[in-house]
Amino acid sequence: MATRSQTAAVLLAGALALAACGSGGTSQTPASGGGKTLVIDTSFDLKTADPGRTYEPTGLIVGKAVYETLLTFDGADVTKPVPALAESYELAEDGRKLTLELRQGATFADGSPVTADDVVFSLTRVRDMKGTPSFLLDGVEVAKTGDSTITLTSKAPNPALPYILPNPALGIINSKVAKQHGATADAKDKAEQYLNANSAGSGPYRIESFNVSSQVVLTSNPKYYGAKPAYDKVVIRNVEAATQKLNVQRGDSQIALNLSGDQVTGMPSTLQVKKTASANVIFLLANQDSAISRTTTNPKFVEAVRKGVDYAGLLELAGEGSTQAPGVIPSQLLGALPADQGAERDVAGAKAALAAGGLSNPTVKLEYPTELTVNGLSFQPLAERIQANLKEVGITVDLQPAPVSTALDNYRNGKEEMGLWYWGPDYPDPSDYLAFLPGKTVGLRAGWKPGAAKEIEEAGEKAAAAIGDGARKEAFADVQTKLNASGPFVPLIQPSQNIVTAGSVTGLNYHPVWTVDVADLGVK
């Protein structure tokens, strides 16, 4: 089935996945014959089906199927937003105003038309409910400026806005129906319970049943105005990775989303294995708060770590399909640094940096979450490999694994001397990675306060205001080059995203935000 043009990973995407793993039962009939039912096994990170509150990976898969957005991406291509509920869009030259013309003929699951009023209510609701995805529209005013015209106005230049709108959290809801069930465009909203059991969207699927710990069942929307999806029913099940592998091998499921590189090795030829670098970037941070550490605040220590890591060894550990991360922006996005700018191991150079910084056999603590996996990859073996690498250059690393909740608190509060974490895109645009600058979200987690690196901060301001792909690509590359030269972060790898499907499944593309668009999937 051809990709439909009309229809990330979040920091800590998957943090709850292992806590809710189920067994790989076969309560649903797998696809057979006409291929009408599709069974997908994944490790649930799921809290809600309300698009205005959704920000977990499994929820984004569901949201993408049930709720359409104004703009979307064509398959795996995140370089250019394309029309969805909006048939056209235009960004003003100053990057402050985005004007969209609404498509005619689109209908909700109850058959009522999608209107500009629905769009204004939906987007305003997301912004003003103050839920997890509210930040996507911070500083953005939404207005109906014609019968089918919507204008989004930003206080500051916001050239990323067309890349933000495809996020399923910004799915358009049937405002009349939602209001009847407690929806408001503020923090008093009470529509979540209704939206967890009912569909108020215009997408190709509807919710038949929804359980945050076991499975979600979607059925095709008979009122959908676009091309009918190939599968009448999609069952998304919460299954641990080892059982996912068994299920897809024996035909109890057609798709396994969470297998590691090792687990997909030696799959039978009857199955399809899609290996691609994920958009998740695993990185080290060295705290820049002298109250936390007098060692990691030394710029020569960070230089020694950057030169001391064996990147090739980490890739070997991560498995086929993984790539080194030359910067904090993943390879799929505009502004990513080319592969040849990745750091290289230089043991002698690392030892020289320690000596130049007056550091003799320093000892540091490295914190990381224990039960969290990224694309099937655990942090423990990565931490152990880094510990061994740095020992060779004269740095003793005291490993400090902790449960996700504990590690996350220390990380968010900037209390880790060193940390091993990852960042996935909230939306596929390089502006999302300005979070790594001083005073910003991830910068503060590394104890990097505003004013700590004026040259880098000025480069970030220039990148944020840049308009046009060429200027933005150059500006964001400059930010990363400066970050690599004097920032507290060491980008390591982009682990492989491994998706296994039955031979009958067609049209699968990995997407860094919603993982897979189930309505794009076809059957041979």
Side-chain angles (χ1 to χ4, degrees):
M1 181 180 179
T3 298
R4 300 166 307 110
S5 63
Q6 100 285 349
T7 321
V10 180
L11 177 65
L12 286 179
L16 304 177
L18 295 184
C21 290
S23 62
T26 57
S27 59
Q28 296 292 330
T29 304
S32 61
K36 296 300 184 182
T37 298
L38 178 73
V39 179
I40 300 174
D41 283 349
T42 186
S43 297
F44 272 22
D45 190 350
L46 179 65
K47 293 182 179 179
T48 180
D50 181 345
R53 292 180 168 88
T54 294
Y55 217 69
E56 293 72 39
T58 313
L60 295 176
I61 296 173
V62 174
K64 178 63 178 168
V66 176
Y67 293 91
E68 287 189 296
T69 47
L70 291 171
L71 302 176
T72 187
F73 293 102
D74 191 359
D77 183 0
V78 295
T79 63
K80 182 176 175 55
V82 297
L85 281 176
E87 65 180 7
S88 65
Y89 67 97
E90 182 178 359
L91 183 67
E93 288 186 5
D94 65 0
R96 297 174 188 268
K97 182 181 290 187
L98 181 67
T99 305
L100 305 106
E101 287 295 325
L102 201 58
R103 181 184 301 278
Q104 299 301 303
T107 57
F108 288 113
D110 66 355
S112 60
V114 179
T115 69
D117 292 323
D118 293 310
V119 172
V120 173
F121 177 81
S122 300
L123 298 185
T124 304
R125 176 177 180 262
V126 175
R127 184 194 66 202
D128 295 347
M129 273 198 309
K130 302 306 177 186
T132 306
S134 296
F135 79 97
L136 293 170
L137 294 176
D138 277 351
V140 177
E141 292 298 322
V142 185
K144 176 182 173 181
T145 51
D147 288 345
S148 59
T149 306
I150 300 98
T151 301
L152 278 61
T153 306
S154 302
K155 295 177 182 177
N158 194 357
L161 202 48
Y163 295 83
I164 294 173
L165 286 178
N167 192 297
L170 302 180
I172 307 306
I173 65 174
N174 186 328
S175 60
K176 181 179 179 181
V177 170
K179 287 175 183 177
Q180 290 172 352
H181 294 88
T184 59
D186 56 30
K188 297 177 181 178
D189 181 273
K190 291 181 170 33
E192 182 178 13
Q193 184 176 351
Y194 173 79
L195 294 173
N196 278 344
N198 300 274
S199 301
S202 63
Y205 284 97
R206 301 181 303 175
I207 294 173
E208 179 178 291
S209 65
F210 181 86
N211 186 299
V212 296
S213 61
S214 58
Q215 73 176 21
V216 177
V217 180
L218 307 175
T219 55
S220 61
N221 174 11
K223 302 286 188 178
Y224 184 55
Y225 64 95
K228 179 180 172 62
Y231 294 95
D232 295 327
K233 179 179 289 189
V234 176
V235 181
I236 306 170
R237 306 187 300 190
N238 186 22
V239 178
E240 62 184 0
T243 309
Q244 286 184 37
K245 178 179 179 179
L246 292 173
N247 285 348
V248 76
Q249 285 180 318
R250 64 193 179 197
D252 289 344
S253 68
Q254 287 69 57
I255 299 179
L257 290 180
N258 301 104
L259 302 186
S260 68
D262 288 342
Q263 287 174 316
V264 299
T265 301
M267 281 287 178
S269 59
T270 52
L271 298 176
Q272 302 173 95
V273 180
K274 190 174 186 70
K275 295 183 181 181
T276 181
S278 71
N280 297 316
V281 173
I282 296 177
F283 63 91
L284 287 168
L285 68 83
N287 204 301
Q288 297 303 291
D289 183 349
S290 58
I292 300 296
S293 176
R294 300 300 295 271
T295 300
T296 57
T297 51
N298 188 322
K300 287 297 181 180
F301 173 81
V302 182
E303 180 184 338
V305 171
R306 191 182 310 278
K307 290 179 176 178
V309 170
D310 178 6
Y311 301 92
L314 293 182
L315 286 178
E316 183 181 352
L317 196 63
E320 187 178 342
S322 302
T323 62
Q324 183 179 346
V328 293
I329 298 176
S331 57
Q332 296 92 335
L333 305 192
L334 180 77
L337 290 176
D340 61 7
Q341 288 192 31
E344 295 181 0
R345 192 175 202 211
D346 177 3
V347 173
K351 291 179 178 179
L354 287 179
L359 298 167
S360 177
N361 299 313
T363 297
V364 292
K365 294 179 180 179
L366 175 63
E367 296 187 40
Y368 54 92
T370 48
E371 69 269 39
L372 176 62
T373 62
V374 183
N375 304 107
L377 186 62
S378 169
F379 281 83
Q380 182 69 30
L382 290 174
E384 291 172 352
R385 185 68 62 93
I386 291 165
Q387 179 188 48
N389 290 168
L390 297 184
K391 183 177 182 179
E392 294 178 30
V393 304
I395 300 172
T396 298
V397 177
D398 180 10
L399 299 184
Q400 299 278 311
V404 168
S405 57
T406 303
L408 186 55
D409 281 344
N410 285 343
Y411 170 57
R412 286 178 171 167
N413 294 321
K415 301 299 185 183
E416 297 180 330
E417 185 173 28
M418 286 190 73
L420 178 64
W421 289 94
Y422 84 101
W423 183 268
D426 297 299
Y427 49 90
D429 186 84
S431 61
D432 192 38
Y433 294 81
L434 295 175
F436 283 83
L437 270 57
K440 305 300 184 182
T441 303
V442 190
L444 289 173
R445 292 170 179 174
W448 216 19
K449 298 178 177 64
K454 287 292 187 184
E455 186 180 3
I456 294 177
E457 291 168 84
E458 289 172 0
E461 291 171 3
K462 180 179 178 181
I467 305 293
D469 286 355
R472 300 185 78 224
K473 180 178 180 180
E474 182 179 344
F476 280 100
D478 181 56
V479 169
Q480 291 176 96
T481 300
K482 288 180 167 62
L483 268 176
N484 286 346
S486 57
F489 303 103
V490 180
L492 300 173
I493 60 171
Q494 290 175 232
S496 175
Q497 176 76 40
N498 306 291
I499 300 177
V500 178
T501 75
S504 60
V505 177
T506 64
L508 186 140
N509 287 290
Y510 162 70
H511 196 279
V513 176
W514 50 75
T515 310
V516 60
D517 182 351
V518 297
D520 264 354
L521 301 176
V523 59
K524 288 180 182 177

